[in-house]
């Protein structure tokens, strides 16, 4: 158990819809990362938050947004969903968000767009 | 932009054979991390390399960081079925994960 909690585990929805994925980091971790993993693909970095503030942004679409709340949990919002958004979405956390710290991953949310 | 290539993409080995995956960057890396993702699971941190030429071992796993800090390798000696999974290198300062090498071990 990594200590990172992601909900829901599975999400099935239709094109054009909007969903929210939730992540609770490990106790004491201030930094949260979001990744997208498509079939047979590596992990694509989306965005990083540190202590409530956006720290780094990767290949995140304009239809996607995220935030980190005062209690340090984070949400990833995906809107105007397309078939290509079907993927496994991982959240990871680390202590201070420095690049010399390991990231601890949750079990992921599997998003299926019909 | 940052280019980090990982090869091979897939590797099938007989149990007991050795396995190596390579990670190559077009630019110098400050550090590199390795993760393992079991089928149906999430990536799990294995190790971090920081120093030029660094070599670290974890039981049957040997990790190396190149002298120029542009490449790294993971070598598994005498693979076991428990080694099955995808191994990713990561350049954390670029938030980059390699495409991974999927290892299948045939009993």
């Amino acid at each position: 158990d990594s200590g990172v909690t992601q909900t829901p585990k599975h999400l099935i929805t239709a094109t054009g819809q909007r969903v929210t994925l939730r992540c609770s980091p490990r106790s004491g971790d201030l930094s949260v990362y979001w990744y997208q993993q498509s079939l047979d693909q590596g992990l694509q970095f989306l965005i990083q938050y540190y202590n409530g503030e956006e720290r780094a942004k990767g290949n995140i679409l304009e239809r996607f947004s995220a935030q980190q709340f005062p209690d340090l949990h984070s949400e990833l919002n995906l809107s105007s969903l397309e078939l290509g958004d079907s993927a496994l979405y991982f959240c990871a956390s680390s202590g201070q968000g420095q690049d010399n710290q390991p990231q601890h991953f949750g079990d992921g949310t599997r998003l299926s767009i019909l | 932009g940052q280019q980090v290539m990982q090869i091979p993409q897939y590797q099938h080995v007989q149990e007991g054979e050795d396995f190596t995956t390579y990670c190559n960057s077009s630019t110098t890396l400050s550090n590199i991390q390795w993760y393992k993702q079991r089928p149906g699971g999430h990536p799990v941190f294995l190790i971090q390399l920081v120093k030029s030429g660094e070599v670290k071992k974890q039981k049957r796993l040997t990790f190396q960081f190149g002298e120029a800090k542009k490449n790294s390798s993971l070598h598994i000696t005498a693979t076991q079925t428990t080694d099955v999974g995808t191994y990713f290198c990561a350049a954390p300062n670029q938030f980059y994960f390699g495409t991974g090498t999927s290892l299948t071990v045939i009993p």
Side-chain angles (χ1 to χ4, degrees):
Chain A
D1 182 14
S2 67
V4 178
T5 303
Q6 287 189 250
T7 56
K9 292 191 183 300
H10 302 277
L11 201 48
I12 302 174
T13 188
T15 56
Q17 295 299 304
R18 172 190 170 93
V19 296
T20 297
L21 312 183
R22 182 187 170 101
C23 170
S24 293
R26 278 192 331 162
S27 177
D29 282 357
L30 299 178
S31 194
V32 168
Y33 309 77
W34 285 98
Y35 293 88
Q36 180 192 59
Q37 186 175 44
S38 302
L39 194 63
D40 289 339
Q41 295 291 313
L43 290 157
Q44 300 295 319
F45 169 69
L46 297 177
I47 198 163
Q48 179 200 7
Y49 279 84
Y50 174 75
N51 204 20
E53 300 289 327
E54 181 184 306
R55 173 172 275 190
K57 186 177 279 191
N59 298 320
I60 188 167
L61 300 173
E62 287 190 9
R63 299 183 288 108
F64 296 180
S65 65
Q67 54 184 326
Q68 187 179 27
F69 295 86
D71 67 353
L72 300 177
H73 91 270
S74 179
E75 293 181 355
L76 178 66
N77 301 296
L78 314 177
S79 62
S80 303
L81 288 168
E82 302 175 358
L83 293 176
D85 298 327
S86 294
L88 192 51
Y89 290 85
F90 283 109
C91 167
S93 73
S94 69
Q96 301 296 317
Q98 297 168 328
D99 63 16
N100 62 353
Q101 295 179 320
Q103 295 181 29
H104 303 273
F105 285 77
D107 290 336
T109 293
R110 183 168 297 282
L111 176 63
S112 299
I113 312 299
L114 303 179
Chain B
Q2 173 69 35
Q3 289 286 332
V4 180
M5 304 299 294
Q6 191 171 353
I7 55 171
Q9 188 173 0
Y10 302 97
Q11 185 78 57
H12 295 244
V13 300
Q14 290 284 340
E15 187 173 17
E17 292 182 339
D18 292 356
F19 159 78
T20 305
T21 174
Y22 301 89
C23 196
N24 299 296
S25 170
S26 58
T27 60
T28 302
L29 302 172
S30 60
N31 60 330
I32 195 160
Q33 296 175 346
W34 285 91
Y35 292 77
K36 176 184 179 181
Q37 183 176 18
R38 294 182 184 273
H42 59 265
V44 175
F45 174 79
L46 294 177
I47 209 160
Q48 174 170 267
L49 303 171
V50 179
K51 299 177 183 177
S52 171
E54 188 170 16
V55 178
K56 287 188 177 181
K57 292 189 176 184
Q58 288 180 350
K59 298 183 180 179
R60 294 177 295 101
L61 278 61
T62 301
F63 303 83
Q64 290 189 316
F65 202 9
E67 293 291 339
K69 300 181 73 173
K70 288 187 175 182
N71 57 73
S72 181
S73 65
L74 158 59
H75 179 81
I76 302 178
T77 303
T79 55
Q80 299 175 358
T81 54
T82 53
D83 296 324
V84 166
T86 300
Y87 293 84
F88 293 98
C89 62
N93 61 324
Q94 286 99 14
F95 305 98
Y96 180 87
F97 276 72
T99 48
T101 296
S102 176
L103 173 64
T104 299
V105 179
I106 304 165

